[in-house]
């Protein structure tokens, strides 16, 4: 019984991200975004991300349009790891959420040149695309797109997952 409890605890501690890729239709999601301005910006972002990444988007959970995948290891708890889009966005009602732009040092250094934005814990919020320099955004997307999987903590291997 003790081994079972330890195994359950280890499985809980090694929790994967709850937001996973889905088969949902990205175009239908973007066409349904509200308000109209958010829909227009979402469709424009889809074109911009496609231009930079040369890949088709995938819905992650119900509201994130993601491009590519990388394996992450949480800095706060190295036992927490999972897959996440290299970059992406979500056209939310209050703002556009942009993912992956500030995760790497090169992106964080370039971010102040983007224009008007605010930062969340894991994303950048933009009210409209008119508030940002699209050339800087392209560069930030390219930086995020180039990221590799994060290294396993010393002494662990992917087989231990």
């Amino acid at each position: 019984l003790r081994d079972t409890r330890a195994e359950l605890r280890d499985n809980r501690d090694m929790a994967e991200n709850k937001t996973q890729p889905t088969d949902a239709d990205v175009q239908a999601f973007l066409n349904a975004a509200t308000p109209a301005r958010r829909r227009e910006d979402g469709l424009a972002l889809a074109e911009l991300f496609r231009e930079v990444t040369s890949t088709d988007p995938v819905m992650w959970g119900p509201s994130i349009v993601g491009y590519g995948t990388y394996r992450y290891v949480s800095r706060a708890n190295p036992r927490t790891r999972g897959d996440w889009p290299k970059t992406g966005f979500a056209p939310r009602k209050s703002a556009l959420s942009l993912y992956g732009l500030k995760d790497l040092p090169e992106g964080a250094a370039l971010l102040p040149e983007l224009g008007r934005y605010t930062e969340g814990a894991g994303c950048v919020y933009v009210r409209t695309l008119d508030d940002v320099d699209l050339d800087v955004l392209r560069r930030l997307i390219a930086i995020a797109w180039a990221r590799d999987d994060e290294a396993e903590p010393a002494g662990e291997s992917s087989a231990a997952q």
Side-chain angles (χ1 to χ4, degrees):
L1 183 61
R2 186 167 191 209
D3 288 340
T4 302
R5 286 186 188 152
E7 185 176 317
L8 287 172
R9 185 182 64 247
D10 286 347
N11 287 341
R12 184 189 68 229
D13 290 344
M14 300 273 288
E16 293 281 324
N17 186 349
K18 291 180 184 176
T19 303
Q20 297 291 326
T22 72
D23 292 329
D25 184 322
V26 173
Q27 193 67 40
F29 167 74
L30 292 173
N31 288 335
T34 59
R37 178 58 196 251
R38 202 66 70 229
R39 179 174 46 256
E40 293 162 9
D41 282 350
L43 291 167
L45 279 172
E47 285 298 316
L48 184 73
F49 275 77
R50 174 84 170 87
E51 171 191 317
V52 174
T53 67
S54 298
T55 193
D56 292 328
V58 171
M59 290 299 300
W60 284 70
S63 62
I64 297 175
V65 178
Y67 295 80
T69 304
Y70 79 100
R71 187 84 176 152
Y72 73 87
V73 178
S74 169
R75 290 181 190 97
N77 178 2
R79 295 182 60 86
T80 301
R81 57 195 71 188
D83 295 322
W84 191 250
K86 287 184 175 188
T87 189
F89 68 93
R92 305 197 189 281
K93 287 188 183 197
S94 61
L96 299 164
S97 301
L98 306 173
Y99 297 94
L101 304 187
K102 64 178 193 162
D103 297 348
L104 300 173
E106 186 180 357
L110 181 60
L111 191 60
E113 297 178 32
L114 180 61
R116 287 183 32 182
Y117 67 92
T118 57
E119 292 185 55
C123 64
V124 173
Y125 300 110
V126 173
R127 300 283 289 165
T128 74
L129 288 183
D130 292 338
D131 291 340
V132 300
D133 181 325
L134 295 181
D135 288 330
V136 172
L137 180 55
R138 282 183 184 89
R139 290 169 50 202
L140 288 165
I141 294 167
I143 291 165
W145 180 248
R147 79 179 310 146
D148 292 321
D149 288 345
E150 294 180 357
E152 295 289 331
E156 292 189 29
S157 68
S158 58
Q161 298 176 31

